[in-house]
Amino acid sequence: MISSNEEILLALSILDEDWITQAQAIRLGRAIGLVEATVRSSLFRLSRSGTLERSSEGFRLSRAARTRYDLTLPQEAWNDRFLGVAFSAEEVRRKRRDGLRYQLRRLGFAPLSAGMMVRPDWPEGHLLPRLQVLSEDETWSLTRLEVLQEPAPRFAARIFPMNEWDREARLLAERWERLGPAIHELSERESLAFRVELESQWLEWQVAAPLFPKELCLRHPNLWRAVSALTNLRERCRPGLQAYAALLLSRKR
């Protein structure tokens, strides 16, 4: 279950517009089941934290938020390289180091050894903006790893619980495949609420099982099946969302 703040951010990311007024944000919030007071409170908190930018034109996602809520599925081929984060921390900084490990796990890194966490470097450079948020911590350094001892897919299967993720992905894929036929019955407003719920499930899933390169997912059929079902639902929602965005933006107040 995601917070009202994240629901607002997801809705803004899905609509992919620039500035929206407070009145438009309130109508957007109602479309996804949030009352006006909740939307106003979220706008205030998100602006104060810098997650939303605010001006005389209204509100928009900050650059960092656009990176965090980038919902595109990368198409680039994997180069078989891994991104490694190496640790070097004194015992007195143990709590800080453990916090960094937690953040890296949320980005899809897994422990290779006591002082190293890795994940596929895919798409190349895609993770760097998110890692820069952690760059003030001097306990770690970044490196790109070439796996020479064994094929990269076999190495990944040894480090990451791909088979376990595949079993869990089957349930997600089945749920999403059942939803497909009903989308044409949704109104424009309902299309946005549906898409926010879909993306919230996707984001929660990625915390447990990050999106990995197609070359790895294809070896685990349900992982790729879930990605394909997500892509299909997004496409089916597109006409309704476009119509809703046009209606929302036509009214400034």
Side-chain angles (χ1 to χ4, degrees):
M1 187 71 177
I2 65 172
S3 67
S4 58
N5 285 3
E6 283 207 296
E7 286 183 298
I8 292 288
L9 293 170
L10 274 175
L12 291 174
S13 179
I14 289 165
L15 290 182
D16 195 26
E17 299 295 337
D18 198 12
W19 296 99
I20 68 166
T21 66
Q22 180 170 276
Q24 290 169 337
I26 289 170
R27 286 198 292 276
L28 180 149
R30 288 181 184 140
I32 58 177
L34 301 177
V35 299
E36 180 175 336
T38 299
V39 176
R40 288 180 181 275
S41 177
S42 290
L43 292 176
F44 173 76
R45 290 195 300 268
L46 292 168
S47 299
R48 187 173 60 180
S49 69
T51 307
L52 287 182
E53 297 176 0
R54 185 173 187 176
S55 77
S56 58
E57 297 181 76
F59 302 87
R60 70 177 180 185
L61 294 171
S62 67
R63 191 168 75 170
R66 287 184 182 277
T67 299
R68 168 71 179 86
Y69 293 95
D70 180 5
L71 303 174
T72 57
L73 295 175
Q75 301 299 318
E76 296 94 316
W78 183 34
N79 57 16
D80 282 3
R81 288 194 300 218
F82 288 81
L83 202 59
V85 173
F87 295 87
S88 176
E90 300 173 4
E91 189 64 23
V92 293
R93 305 181 73 185
R94 187 174 185 178
K95 185 175 181 180
R96 191 173 181 183
R97 182 186 58 193
D98 290 345
L100 176 61
R101 280 193 180 127
Y102 171 77
Q103 294 296 328
L104 289 170
R105 282 184 182 278
R106 295 201 65 176
L107 291 176
F109 284 81
L112 178 63
S113 64
M116 172 76 76
M117 295 183 74
V118 299
R119 69 150 288 153
D121 185 14
W122 174 88
E124 189 168 353
H126 180 72
L127 285 169
L128 294 181
R130 300 190 187 186
L131 288 171
Q132 285 170 355
V133 176
L134 309 175
S135 63
E136 294 179 359
D137 194 323
E138 300 175 356
T139 68
W140 68 279
S141 61
L142 193 65
T143 184
R144 282 186 168 82
L145 306 177
E146 300 277 359
V147 181
L148 302 177
Q149 297 85 355
E150 58 185 323
R154 187 187 304 167
F155 174 81
R158 181 163 59 82
I159 300 300
F160 300 94
M162 304 293 288
N163 290 331
E164 178 183 337
W165 291 345
D166 190 68
R167 288 192 294 270
E168 294 170 356
R170 179 176 61 82
L171 301 177
L172 198 61
E174 289 174 351
R175 181 195 311 165
W176 286 347
E177 287 166 353
R178 286 195 298 268
L179 293 174
I183 289 181
H184 72 279
E185 300 175 1
L186 299 177
S187 68
E188 290 88 350
R189 178 170 166 165
E190 289 170 337
S191 293
L192 177 64
F194 176 87
R195 188 63 198 278
V196 167
E197 174 61 24
L198 175 68
E199 300 302 343
S200 70
Q201 293 174 10
W202 175 242
L203 286 178
E204 288 177 358
W205 164 247
Q206 284 203 50
V207 171
L211 180 62
F212 270 13
K214 184 175 182 179
E215 292 86 343
L216 291 179
C217 288
L218 287 175
R219 293 168 172 258
H220 304 273
N222 289 306
L223 283 173
W224 194 246
R225 180 182 167 194
V227 172
S228 299
L230 173 72
T231 303
N232 179 50
L233 290 178
R234 284 176 171 176
E235 286 301 314
R236 285 171 176 256
C237 282
R238 188 184 301 277
L241 287 172
Q242 290 173 336
Y244 177 77
L247 180 63
L248 178 72
L249 297 174
S250 68
R251 298 170 58 193
K252 294 286 186 182
R253 298 182 179 277

